[in-house]
Amino acid sequence: MASDKPRKGGDESEPRRRISTRRPFLYLFSVLVLVIIIVAFVGAPLVTQTAQRSESLVFGSYRGETIEYTPGSYFARQYESAANRMREEGENMSTQEQMQQVWRQAFNQTLFHTAVMYEARQSNIAVSESRVDRELAQQPQFQENGRFDPQAFQNTSSQERFNLRQFLRESIVHQHYVGDKLQRIKTSPESVEFVKSMASPERQFNFVAFEYDEYPDEEVRDFAQEKEDLFRRIDLSVITVPEGESQAQNIREQIAERTNTFEELARAHSADQFAENGGDMGSTYFYELEGDFADSEQLEEVFSLEEGELSPVLEGRNGWIIYRVDEAARNADLENEDTLDDVRSYLNSFERGRVEDYMTERAEEFRQTASESNFSEAASAEDLSVRETGYFPINYGNVPIFGRVNAQDYEALSEAASRERFFEETFALEENEVSNPIALENALVVMQFSDEREAAGDSVGFLDNYYPYLAQQYQSQELQRILLDPQYYEDNFSRAFSRIVGGRGRS
């Protein structure tokens, strides 16, 4: 089969047609209305037309090599493949999120492919034209009754044949390079047996949880009373002037002299999120305003004002600020549930250690009681629920080939799998021994060793065949991590995708 390289002086590529920009308004409107339907059922051809009538879509680069969408390119074929898979799964690209998912998948694959081709060139990996010919002859569009159909081949445009040859050539090199890297992995029977041994022993535990959200209301009130200044509330309107103090002073004078209203001036001059509402901030706590000032003493003057009064011009972190008091400051209502929730939120954000210390003390007291008596009885006396885990080995990270750290009625326990101390503590316990309190993200748990067993043979027998595949998968991920070091590539996906979404109807 002859190679389809472009000939000098020949017309091997079809000229790109440019659609005139002088179209009636009705035509443009129709394109905008129908574009979603076209993308859903046609996919790549729409983008092909976009690329033909405007500059190409550049999504990024790898080591200086541009990654762009052009008709017939590796990128285009990855897009078509991803879009077809989505349609085969019963979906079409009817939303921007689905479109973005398909484009991102195609870009990621093309980025990795570009990296592989770069490495292949450095290693002088090449493919013969006869190998490309054989692959070309096997393409479904050139097959008739299981044999190569020359007529179907001749009926294909020379540009498409050229693009297809280039795609197949790169695909063969890609497969050769990646395959060579992965085939170097050898999984001996000894290594498989070692991995299988990691599945045992499996342990089961009883445990109780001390949730940080269960920090008592009484403790929340005590804290609010200790820090009552922080939880004073005041209703304010605000104008923030970033340009300078003199302009802020001028604005304040206009308000004071009633030549303009506070609301009008806020809409016209304020540079904060409250400007559209005429500066209305609503009700706010003292602590919520502290971060706006280098010196919180300035706030004390604001909180001493009466309803309707204006603050002086204050120097804030983001400009010059003028407040108007819409309702004077008052102490927090600590009998109000919403107020308690706000204080609790403050504790979790800024005084987390206080909550953790309190719950740790409770958990330690329980541990001592449970160690000296009976775990269930100690839990009952504290009105705590005793939960039970499933069986699991030392499975750091909850690797799916082993039993997972879990409890059916307490999903939060699964996060313990990412904490070394959890395994160090629990797998050092003797039978019925009770652990020290173990911290999770939002709770503490105290565990009691209940039972131990060897993993069932059928639960790890699959590793004989599966582990070599798993090792290759890991090596493949590692190869991608090495090649796709952020210092090597530039990702302009968001900018290019916004052109697809925002410029689809333009001609």
Side-chain angles (χ1 to χ4, degrees), residues 312-420:
V313 173
L314 306 173
E315 184 177 5
R317 296 186 188 276
N318 299 311
W320 299 89
I321 299 174
I322 306 162
Y323 288 116
R324 182 187 67 193
V325 177
D326 298 327
E327 184 177 342
R330 63 271 184 196
N331 291 329
D333 179 6
L334 298 182
E335 298 305 318
N336 182 287
E337 289 187 8
D338 290 340
T339 303
L340 281 181
D341 287 343
D342 290 341
V343 178
R344 188 183 296 277
S345 177
Y346 178 92
L347 277 162
N348 286 328
S349 298
F350 305 108
E351 296 284 349
R352 177 73 167 221
R354 184 183 179 113
V355 177
E356 291 176 351
D357 289 347
Y358 177 88
M359 300 308 289
T360 299
E361 185 176 342
R362 276 198 62 198
E364 178 58 28
E365 289 175 356
F366 170 80
R367 184 199 69 80
Q368 292 179 6
T369 304
S371 297
E372 295 168 359
S373 58
N374 177 279
F375 193 86
S376 296
E377 291 176 0
S380 179
E382 294 288 332
D383 197 25
L384 297 167
S385 297
V386 177
R387 296 179 167 93
E388 185 178 72
T389 73
Y391 283 90
F392 58 86
I394 298 176
N395 185 6
Y396 184 78
N398 263 346
V399 177
I401 61 175
F402 303 128
R404 298 171 63 86
V405 177
N406 71 93
Q408 288 185 351
D409 60 346
Y410 194 70
E411 294 183 4
L413 187 67
S414 62
E415 73 182 61
S418 61
R419 300 171 183 267
E420 290 184 30

Side-chain angles (χ1 to χ4, degrees), residues 167-311:
F167 171 75
L168 292 174
R169 183 180 294 108
E170 291 186 8
S171 296
I172 294 168
V173 172
H174 183 120
Q175 293 168 8
H176 178 79
Y177 177 84
V178 173
D180 181 63
K181 293 293 183 183
L182 300 186
Q183 285 174 5
R184 295 178 183 178
I185 302 173
K186 302 298 181 182
T187 51
S188 66
E190 291 77 14
S191 65
V192 175
E193 288 302 315
F194 173 76
V195 172
K196 288 166 67 174
S197 72
M198 295 170 65
S200 293
E202 295 181 326
R203 284 192 167 190
Q204 185 181 54
F205 302 87
N206 299 318
F207 71 98
V208 295
F210 296 85
E211 300 277 351
Y212 295 157
D213 287 345
E214 295 173 356
Y215 189 65
D217 287 350
E218 294 77 10
E219 294 292 325
V220 175
R221 287 192 185 91
D222 288 346
F223 174 78
Q225 289 168 352
E226 291 174 22
K227 305 286 186 179
E228 61 181 355
D229 286 350
L230 293 176
F231 301 104
R232 287 174 290 166
R233 300 196 77 161
I234 190 170
D235 285 29
L236 296 171
S237 291
V238 64
I239 296 175
T240 305
V241 182
E243 288 82 2
E245 184 179 10
S246 60
Q247 183 184 6
Q249 291 287 4
N250 179 265
I251 290 171
R252 189 185 186 283
E253 288 174 10
Q254 293 182 59
I255 299 169
E257 295 171 2
R258 301 181 184 276
T259 56
N260 275 302
T261 68
F262 191 101
E263 289 76 12
E264 290 171 345
L265 291 167
R267 292 188 180 96
H269 300 286
S270 189
D272 57 44
Q273 60 184 315
F274 307 106
E276 290 185 5
N277 294 327
D280 184 7
M281 295 179 64
S283 182
T284 185
Y285 290 105
F286 185 92
Y287 77 82
E288 292 179 291
L289 299 175
E290 274 191 308
D292 294 338
F293 299 94
D295 182 3
S296 62
E297 286 300 317
Q298 296 181 86
L299 275 181
E300 292 294 348
E301 185 172 354
V302 176
F303 272 69
S304 67
L305 296 174
E306 297 297 329
E307 183 174 325
E309 290 189 305
L310 290 177
S311 75

Side-chain angles (χ1 to χ4, degrees), residues 103-171:
W103 278 102
R104 170 53 81 174
Q105 182 178 343
F107 171 68
N108 288 348
Q109 291 170 338
T110 305
L111 176 62
F112 179 61
H113 173 74
T114 306
V116 168
M117 296 305 294
Y118 173 87
E119 294 297 326
R121 288 193 297 273
Q122 304 309 303
S123 303
N124 295 318
I125 298 175
V127 59
S128 68
E129 292 303 311
S130 60
R131 172 70 188 279
V132 177
D133 287 342
R134 291 196 299 272
E135 290 292 331
L136 190 66
Q138 296 300 316
Q139 296 304 297
Q141 63 265 45
F142 304 138
Q143 292 285 310
E144 180 69 29
N145 297 324
R147 299 173 63 88
F148 175 68
D149 183 358
Q151 189 60 48
F153 180 76
Q154 292 301 324
N155 289 341
T156 303
S157 71
S158 48
Q159 181 64 52
E160 172 59 20
R161 284 182 294 184
F162 175 79
N163 290 340
L164 183 56
R165 289 186 68 86
Q166 183 64 21
F167 171 75
L168 292 174
R169 183 180 294 108
E170 291 186 8
S171 296

Side-chain angles (χ1 to χ4, degrees), residues 76-95:
R77 294 175 190 275
Q78 293 305 310
Y79 170 84
E80 291 167 2
S81 177
N84 286 335
R85 281 196 301 273
M86 178 171 282
R87 285 191 284 270
E88 288 170 0
E89 292 170 0
E91 301 181 40
N92 56 46
M93 286 179 289
S94 57
T95 68

